[in-house]
Amino acid sequence: MKKTGKLDYLEMPATGGTLDNVKAFYSTAFSWSFTDYGPSYSAYDEGLEGGFYSEAGDTTPKPLPVLYSENLEETLAAVEDAGGKIVKPIFSFPGGRRFHFTDPAGNELAVWGE
């Protein structure tokens, strides 16, 4: 069951290699399977859902923990009230909406909702 604040997804860059090389590594080493969403994104579901992306674009160049929210606007307000800095306001993506923030230590996380 999805609950606000629970770690729900982990995105990781494939920019140090290629998306195909990264998928081959995890498939061979750990028997992971993937679902491709276009040429630059491939998702996995191996105990924790996540995905690898190969285009740097405006994405973070390190792993991005993604939390879930039942009410995105309320969670955004709570993050700001607690001292988090919003680095990407709420935007839509295939599957829902999300925003990115940094915590007081400078770690970037995202929060998504349906």
Side-chain angles (χ1 to χ4, degrees):
M1 177 178 207
K2 294 184 183 288
K3 292 206 176 236
T4 297
K6 298 298 180 187
L7 184 60
D8 189 59
Y9 203 82
L10 181 64
E11 290 187 339
M12 296 186 283
T15 53
T18 67
L19 190 57
D20 287 338
N21 288 348
V22 170
K23 288 169 39 181
F25 169 80
Y26 283 95
S27 294
T28 301
F30 302 106
S31 301
W32 285 17
S33 58
F34 294 89
T35 302
D36 291 334
Y37 293 96
S40 63
Y41 197 90
S42 192
Y44 58 85
D45 185 359
E46 302 295 337
L48 174 67
E49 291 183 57
F52 288 96
Y53 56 89
S54 62
E55 289 183 2
D58 63 346
T59 57
T60 181
K62 52 190 167 196
L64 179 70
V66 182
L67 308 175
Y68 180 76
S69 173
E70 296 168 281
N71 185 312
L72 212 51
E73 287 76 14
E74 285 181 9
T75 302
L76 185 143
V79 166
E80 289 181 312
D81 290 347
K85 179 181 176 193
I86 305 304
V87 294
K88 291 184 187 175
I90 295 174
F91 63 93
S92 295
F93 70 96
R97 301 180 310 137
R98 77 185 199 188
F99 68 89
H100 293 208
F101 71 94
T102 54
D103 67 13
N107 298 302
E108 185 172 339
L109 290 88
V111 180
W112 86 279
E114 298 172 85

